[in-house]
Amino acid sequence: MYKSFVLLAVLLPAVFFAGCKEQTTEPTREQTNTLLPLALGNSWKYKLYNQSSDSTGQVVWTVDKKIIVDSLEYFFIRTTGFTNNSYVARIESDGLFLSAYDSLNGFSFPFFFKYPADDNETYQYKMIGSDSILNITVKKQNLLIGNQNYSCYGYINQNLNPYFPFMYFSENIGLIRHKLVWYVGGRIDTTYHFIYDLESKTINN
């Protein structure tokens, strides 16, 4: 029987403050809310677990550098620990583009997270380099991880797993949870899962 993980589906905000001097007011930058804060050096550490173990390792995502792909600038995210992969991310006017990436093969599993979005809103995304059109539904919900309660945008890929979101983002914090399930014999088996949960973060901007 062939088994493979199905990628189940962050924009974090950068917040700037400008002070006021006596009798003068300096220009104030507007606060920018985002699913994933893309400043160099930002990092997120995740605890990994599955249905049979509450600890299978850790992985760290780090915003490492900026790169140019097809004349557009992306932030390059390196992962270390349980997996050693790389992603690229770019904040668009209406959301976040995120994809696995390598210099030889380019984008793998490109995905677009609409933001802001309404609860239960469904939108379509045509995957780069293919004719595939994904139907994605947004779920707004609170998510308790450890002792921390997060207000999240959850993204359901209706084409692969319509049962629950595969990625959860908390505004101005980043990716909170990444949940994968088994795809067995042409169907989803939700009794088997693999989860990344946020443990700690370093946000520079």
Side-chain angles (χ1 to χ4, degrees):
M1 180 181 298
Y2 176 75
K3 293 185 177 181
S4 63
F5 276 123
V6 173
L7 177 65
L8 300 183
V10 331
L11 293 175
L12 289 180
V15 181
F16 300 94
F17 297 92
C20 295
K21 293 184 178 179
E22 191 172 319
Q23 297 183 346
T24 63
T25 301
E26 295 181 355
T28 303
R29 298 181 186 177
E30 292 185 2
Q31 175 176 324
T32 302
N33 291 323
T34 175
L35 291 180
L36 185 64
L38 293 174
L40 297 181
N42 285 358
S43 65
W44 300 263
K45 182 170 76 173
Y46 298 95
K47 171 187 175 180
L48 312 182
Y49 62 98
N50 57 29
Q51 73 286 339
S52 58
S53 173
D54 65 358
S55 181
T56 60
Q58 290 181 330
V59 66
V60 177
W61 287 28
T62 302
V63 182
D64 192 55
K65 59 185 176 181
K66 296 179 182 180
I67 64 172
I68 302 296
V69 181
D70 295 332
S71 301
L72 293 176
E73 183 178 78
Y74 294 85
F75 285 87
F76 184 87
I77 301 172
R78 189 180 308 279
T79 73
T80 56
F82 183 82
T83 60
N84 294 287
N85 299 316
S86 57
Y87 297 88
V88 291
R90 176 181 168 86
I91 296 176
E92 307 284 356
S93 60
D94 55 349
L96 169 73
F97 173 82
L98 180 67
S99 177
Y101 176 83
D102 69 67
S103 58
L104 293 178
N105 299 310
F107 300 124
S108 301
F109 306 111
F111 208 87
F112 184 77
F113 302 91
K114 187 176 186 295
Y115 171 83
D118 296 324
D119 187 32
N120 293 316
E121 179 178 350
T122 296
Y123 63 96
Q124 291 187 326
Y125 169 61
K126 185 178 182 299
M127 295 180 69
I128 292 177
S130 78
D131 294 326
S132 298
I133 296 177
L134 303 181
N135 294 286
I136 302 129
T137 299
V138 181
K139 289 289 187 181
K140 288 186 176 181
Q141 62 187 88
N142 291 326
L143 194 62
L144 182 65
I145 297 179
N147 296 319
Q148 182 68 46
N149 191 41
Y150 297 97
S151 178
C152 293
Y153 286 80
Y155 294 83
I156 300 174
N157 185 343
Q158 299 286 356
N159 297 59
L160 291 180
N161 175 22
Y163 303 108
F164 50 76
F166 74 98
M167 277 188 169
Y168 302 77
F169 294 88
S170 185
E171 196 174 60
N172 300 326
I173 296 175
L175 179 64
I176 302 302
R177 172 173 287 173
H178 183 192
K179 187 172 183 178
L180 305 108
V181 295
W182 283 110
Y183 188 73
V184 182
R187 67 179 182 85
I188 293 292
D189 186 347
T190 58
T191 61
Y192 292 92
H193 59 260
F194 191 66
I195 297 176
Y196 293 48
D197 272 354
L198 182 65
E199 279 194 325
S200 63
K201 64 187 184 303
T202 298
I203 305 297
N204 296 317
N205 283 304

